[in-house]
Amino acid sequence: MSNKQIDPERWVEFFDQFTNGNRGRLIKLEIVDPERGDQIPLQNAPLWSLAYDSVNRDNDLTISTGQEEVTYAHTIHAPKTVWEALDRNGKVVALEIVDENKTQTILHLKG
């Protein structure tokens, strides 16, 4: 497995392409918060989209799930870093987003 950091200048394009290539894949959402502890608010839900409003706007990343419509959304305020984890075949298996409060949101992808 290899990890690659995504340049913030590419986030809008990256998340649009990521959504187009991964919509419908089952995800697990894990939140590692230094103050509140670890949480898993979502498991085995189909990815709907990753939408990023750039720093010039709200500076939020929203992860949405659902099949025909959005059924769950999680927003990360002020993301600072985005890492992509790839398996040995180059397929994305996880994204790790760290926000300004050092909270990690890990999006695990299945299949």
Side-chain angles (χ1 to χ4, degrees), residues 65-85:
T65 62
Q67 287 184 324
E68 301 296 321
E69 61 184 30
V70 173
T71 56
Y72 176 86
H74 174 77
T75 300
I76 301 162
H77 301 288
K80 292 295 181 191
T81 61
V82 175
W83 289 85
E84 177 180 51

Side-chain angles (χ1 to χ4, degrees), residues 42 79 102 109:
L42 188 65
K102 298 189 169 79
L109 293 115

Side-chain angles (χ1 to χ4, degrees), residues 15-62:
F15 290 122
D16 285 347
Q17 289 177 351
F18 187 89
T19 294
N20 291 335
N22 293 284
R23 181 171 279 138
R25 281 181 74 185
L26 295 181
I27 66 167
K28 174 175 99 173
L29 198 60
E30 178 181 2
I31 300 168
V32 181
D33 187 323
E35 294 180 14
R36 292 186 241 164
D38 296 358
Q39 304 165 30
I40 299 177
L42 188 65
Q43 290 193 65
N44 295 319
L47 178 67
W48 180 265
S49 70
L50 296 175
Y52 178 63
D53 280 333
S54 67
V55 175
N56 300 335
R57 299 185 64 185
D58 292 334
N59 194 22
D60 289 335
L61 171 64
T62 302

